[in-house]
Amino acid sequence: MVVLVQLRRALIYLRPYWHIALGSFLSLVIVSTANLISPQILRIIIDRGITQSDTRTLIWACIALIAVAVIRGIFSFTQGFWAEKTSQSGAYDMRNDLFEKIQTLSFSYLDQAQTGQLMTRMTSDVEQVRVFIGNGAVQLASAGVMLIGSVVILFAANWKLAIISLLTFPLMAVTIGIFVVRIRPLFGQVQAQLSSLNTVLQENLAGVRIVQSFAREPHERERYAKLNSVLLQTNLQAVRALSNNFPVFFFWANLGTAAAIWFGGHLVISQQLTIGDLVAFTAYLALLIQPLFTLGFLGSQLSRSAVSAGRIFEVLDAHNEVTDRPGAITLPAVEGRVEFDGVTFRYVGDERPVLSHVSFVAGPGVTVALVGQTGSGKSTIINLIPRFYDVTSGRVLIDGHDVRDVTLESLRSNIGLVLQETTLFSGSIRDNIAYGRPDTPFEQVEAAARAAQAHDFITSFPEGYDTTIGERGVGLSGGQRQRIAIARALLLDPRILILDESTSAVDAETEYLIQKAIAQVLRGRTAFIIAHRVSTVRNAGLILLLDGGTIAASGTHEDLLRDSPLYGEIIDSQFGRQTGRVEESPPTPLLAPTTTG
Amino acid sequence: MQQRAFTSLPAVTQQPVATLPVLRRLAGYLKIYRWRLIAVLGLVIAGAATSAGGPYLIGRAIDTAIRLGNGPLLNTIAVALVSIYAVSAVATRFQVALMGSIGQRILARLRSEIFATLQSLSLRYFDQHPAGDLMSRLLNDTDVLNQLFGQGIIQVLGSLFGIVGAIIAMLLLDVRLAIVSLLVVPLMFFTTALFSQISRRAFQRTRESIGDVSAEIQEEITGVRVAQAFNRTALNRQRFAVRNAANRDANVSAIAITSALMPTLGILSSMAIAVVAGFGGYLALHHQATVGTVVAFITYVQQFFFPIQQLANFFTTIQASFAAGDRIFSLIDSTPDLTDHPNAITMPPLRGEVVFDHVSFSYGSRRTSGLPEAGDEPEPELVLDDIVLTAKPGETTAIVGPTGAGKTTLVSLIGRLYDVTSGAVRIDGVDVRDVTRTSLRQQMGVVLQDSFLFSDTIAGNIRYGRLEATHAEVEAAARAAHAHEFIERLPQGYQSTVGERGGRLSQGQRQLIGIARAILADPRILILDEATSSVDTRTELLIQDALRVLLRDRTAFVIAHRLSTVREADHVLVLQRGHIVERGTHDSLLAAGGLYAELYRRQFRDDPAGSVP
Ligand SMILES: Nc1ncnc2c1ncn2[C@@H]1O[C@H](COP(=O)(O)OP(=O)(O)OP(=O)(O)O)[C@@H](O)[C@H]1O
Ligand SMILES: Nc1ncnc2c1ncn2[C@@H]1O[C@H](COP(=O)(O)OP(=O)(O)OP(=O)(O)O)[C@@H](O)[C@H]1O
Ligand SMILES: [Mg+2]
Ligand SMILES: [Mg+2]
């Protein structure tokens, strides 16, 4: 059964803690034994101590009663404590594994994934599994042992009666079976709907500015309420399945007892059985019922955690397209030659390629500028260099090594990157700049900040570099965030630097200063710069003009002006209309609006 | 002024949860279901009665029917037994169904309430609270309550009922013995109270630590691309493991306390039984009680302590629920620092005059990563200082200035995303604090500096500001934003999904959708905060043509670093460190030769030797 496969896998997480789990199990056995002994002591108290007025026995038995209670107390403590310890430790490992997996998921997976989904799996689903593998598994084991034990005792006592009282077993099994079949998809739906609920929530938190600015709170509330009521309905269905099946299950179990009494009673009446035997038998029957009930209750817990386990393993088993291939080598000291060899690339799920047959060579130390319309594939190209995605066909080579043949770590540690969308983390500004090398001395952090023109505004804050910023850099202006991101990349002192519109939110003056500083840094390094501004582009060693995913033209500024009508058009669009409108004639004809990297 | 607190949790955690208020709140949610709860109670009693009836009938069957060889009586008893089991099954059926549905409904209501609360809180609140921690309250804390509402209440009810029944029976049987056996009860209460006291903090810590874990998860998931780019995954894993371990340890130590309670109560009850047996034996010896009474008594004492132990068993869930409930209610109760004035009016249709009347604004003081200490709080810095401006209906005001000058802040005050620290923002002569936020914001459209899209279709995203817009209108807005062309090229056109935060579109494409969204909202006041910063210049020029038409009779605020885009504005304000340092038109400012002229010239500086890497 699939259920069991998932759960078995979940149980593997307990393996390192098997001795604690065993301790908990043994404690449970001792507690159960103590539970069996206590009534016997009580019987002695009543029968011999009180009825026969045997004071000595009475006193000793009372002492024994307390002693047993103490022992039971100690072990019921260890049972509960160790069970929790085991399950929490297992859950801890499971969360760590999930976290590790998510941290290494390839970009194509992340493009499809939703934060709320992944979060639900890491919290709610792990918790569902934990509840089961903690107490559930131990109880299941002990109920199983008790069940087998009592069945053996029953058969030993009277096999005919045993068979009669177990006649309803198949009915119980069927009931449980029906229940599991009905409840499993429901639990699956519950967790999935919970995920959508959390996705809406997560999105609302992330996009709270837009929600509030457009006064869309009522709409969002309604959206949430709708999903919430869908979840409620599914939960109610689950409740119904539970309430429809469990009483039936217990009824079958009880019916067995009734049948045994009835049949046994008639045996006694027809003198095929002594009354003593029957009384003893009913006492053992009571032993049978308890574990049966436990099993019944665990049935629902079991199917619920099996569903959650399935959802967890779905993430853990997610195919990671970008991984080190076996035998991948460490990229040797990088000179910085970057070559695209007939690269075609398609995003997962798309039919049409975003890049087709892109080929170019950037020698070491060359600055490559990518220009082209919005959506023409500039960011996609630079995403292939650190191997965030694997090419669909063709090759990306660094110093002649296919990026798929070297370890990701060695590849990426040579590349400094400022992504188009700035993502900072909550923490101090200093930690954010030192993100790639947390142990960098402060002087270097400061130097990187200075080069990114961030030092001045940072020190204008009362706490300077220790200023805390919020998630995604809340608390900084757009341009301030971008400069932190630039400093973060510069700090790596990479051989290959990629700047994807890294100064789009920065004013002209600051941008100019940043460019000057970066020009220093770039000496001898290969750089990829995406920019819309021609003045940035024109001095690049190689300009790639992208149009609809292909390289429409490449070469130096002069080459392109001469050869490419499209390039000319871009230049014209930038200053053709401006010169017409501006009265004061600016110092040079380059009237380009500023955005550059 | 509120403090900023990002990952470090607020100081509230020092105080243990007060049990009573939480209990009262939870009870409040149960109140509407009072009749159903009474029905549940009835069913619990019925269930208890029938489950006591089973053993009784079996005893009768053995003692009378079987011993006396009465076959027909045995048959009758067997039938009675089966019917009792059937009744019990039916009672359980309805009890589980009723209680389950009550619990689920309460949970659904709680979730909606939390979400509604989150929707009513101000940006300042979100600036300060990690999203993951807020999510955890909705996700994990409600989960804990689920356990309470599920089987918990039934068990508590059943146990309480059992206790009361046993006490009555004991008192009726023999008052002296009853008093002796109940002697331990105060001790038990004391023990339980002590344990709750100790465990309360521990359970609070479990809820907080799972909140921390969630916060970390959510942030690391959203930032995972950067983590990979910077080879940070190993380090992040270590960091996560620390928080994860803190959560594990918090849970284990909480359980350490609660799993000690049950055994303690068990020992106490055994002592009580021993005392009763001893005392009863003594009474019986001296013929002050019959042996039968003493024997029956011992059985009752056992019956009495059994539900108490069951309650103790349930102690963990109760404690965890209180901690979870406390977090949920403290969120629901958090007073929004920015609310509609009680007599707030609905903003009438706008003409669009915007006035800043000596506006100053501060985000509050920044906090260091170190521990917060009372007393040494730095002076809050003014991000905007005494801003005075008037934008007449239909005018376009451009705001320029170095990064961090306060441009984005200034425009957020128009829609009252934050409240001014002093001064007033007036629209058509009405203070924005005197109107409902919804009626105000509905008449405004914004394109934010970082374009945020929802993981919906393109059409859904464009329609966000005006849900009832027709497809033709959506398309017209997309055309005006020059997004139509690329949308048409996508295989599913307007029905393509854009992925989380619009991740499946290029940055520039996201901005175009954001512009289309604002255009479609058809606002009286339009705010464009670097709306085209990631768009190529050719497209940008085309959009500007479209915007020129669009802005003609709207009040508009345009922020841009590409000064070419602000040239046609009616006013240009130059902002520097929170002050308006220059104002005028493009021409007059250029002529004045101040900061604006400098910034403008800087843009066109083309120093091949220096500016280009
Ligand atoms: N949520 C916030 N909490 C605290 N301080 C903030 C917050 N947002 C911005 N600030 C600070 O307020 C100042 C002004 O920020 P604002 O975003 O208004 O600048 P801006 O002029 O829009 O800059 P840019 O051109 O870079 O976008 C900055 O110093 C910034 O650090
Ligand atoms: N993760 C993704 N999944 C699917 N399609 C994508 C994804 N990212 C980008 N695209 C598509 O690929 C094309 C190229 O996108 P890319 O981000 O490379 O453009 P760009 O040239 O960087 O544009 P911009 O100047 O706007 O940043 C676009 O049509 C975009 O819709
Ligand atoms: Mg891009
Ligand atoms: Mg801004």
Side-chain angles (χ1 to χ4, degrees), chain B residues 163 182 254 282 303 327 377 414 470 488 517 524 555 565-566 577 586 607:
Chain B
I163 292 174
L182 295 180
Y282 170 82
Q303 266 185 26
R327 270 164 60 86
E377 208 164 292
I414 302 173
T470 64
E488 281 291 276
R517 172 167 69 188
R524 291 299 310 148
T555 312
T565 58
V566 307
R577 282 193 217 99
H586 171 76
D607 178 356

Side-chain angles (χ1 to χ4, degrees), chain A residues 96 105 115 203 212 220 228 244 262 266 352 426 463 468 483 509 515 535 573-574 590 594-595, chain B residues 75 93 108 121 219 228 367-368 403 441 455 464 489 500 537-538 541 562 602-603 606 611-612:
Chain A
N96 277 350
L105 281 172
T115 311
E203 214 171 32
Q212 295 204 352
E220 294 295 338
N228 195 9
N244 282 338
W262 178 75
H266 279 289
R352 262 173 299 179
S426 55
E463 309 296 335
T468 324
R483 282 177 280 163
E509 172 72 21
Q515 282 181 4
S535 65
S573 85
Q574 292 195 11
L590 274 174
T594 334
T595 291
Chain B
N75 293 348
R93 150 87 183 61
L121 291 170
E219 184 165 29
Q228 290 191 15
R367 173 94 87 67
T368 50
T403 78
R441 291 175 188 165
S455 54
Y464 194 73
R489 262 187 278 123
E500 193 161 78
T537 47
R538 270 164 87 216
L541 281 180
R562 300 188 195 172
R602 174 64 72 209
Q603 253 189 88
D606 189 36
S611 73
V612 178

Side-chain angles (χ1 to χ4, degrees), chain A residues 111 347-348 350 354 372-381 389 420 500-501 530 532, chain B residues 486 490 503-509 534 536:
Chain A
D111 286 346
Y347 282 106
V348 171
D350 286 359
V354 171
Q373 218 183 336
T374 281
S376 56
K378 305 180 292 294
S379 300
T380 306
I381 286 193
Y389 299 90
Q420 199 167 6
D500 191 351
E501 307 229 14
I530 299 180
H532 292 303
Chain B
F486 91 80
L490 297 171
R504 277 179 234 162
L505 298 179
S506 86
Q507 195 77 27
Q509 289 168 340
S534 299
D536 66 289

Side-chain angles (χ1 to χ4, degrees), chain B residues 563-580:
Chain B
L563 298 185
S564 57
T565 58
V566 307
R567 234 177 306 118
E568 287 169 45
D570 298 299
H571 302 282
V572 177
L573 301 176
V574 184
L575 208 59
Q576 190 178 27
R577 282 193 217 99
H579 298 270
I580 296 183

Side-chain angles (χ1 to χ4, degrees), chain A residues 77-153:
Chain A
F77 171 78
T78 55
Q79 190 265 318
F81 180 69
W82 282 337
E84 182 78 5
K85 198 161 177 169
T86 323
S87 71
Q88 290 288 351
S89 305
Y92 165 83
D93 290 342
M94 202 176 260
R95 273 204 190 104
N96 277 350
D97 280 4
L98 274 170
F99 188 81
E100 170 169 2
K101 178 70 186 191
I102 291 172
Q103 285 276 302
T104 52
L105 281 172
S106 61
F107 279 35
S108 2
Y109 186 93
L110 294 168
D111 286 346
Q112 319 283 330
Q114 281 179 320
T115 311
Q117 272 275 355
L118 294 175
M119 276 192 76
T120 310
R121 287 170 204 232
M122 279 193 79
T123 52
S124 173
D125 283 312
V126 168
E127 183 65 14
Q128 296 293 353
V129 174
R130 185 193 71 76
V131 168
F132 177 76
I133 62 177
N135 249 324
V138 169
Q139 282 188 15
L140 194 68
S142 94
V145 171
M146 296 264 289
L147 189 68
I148 294 170
S150 51
V151 167
V152 169
I153 293 176

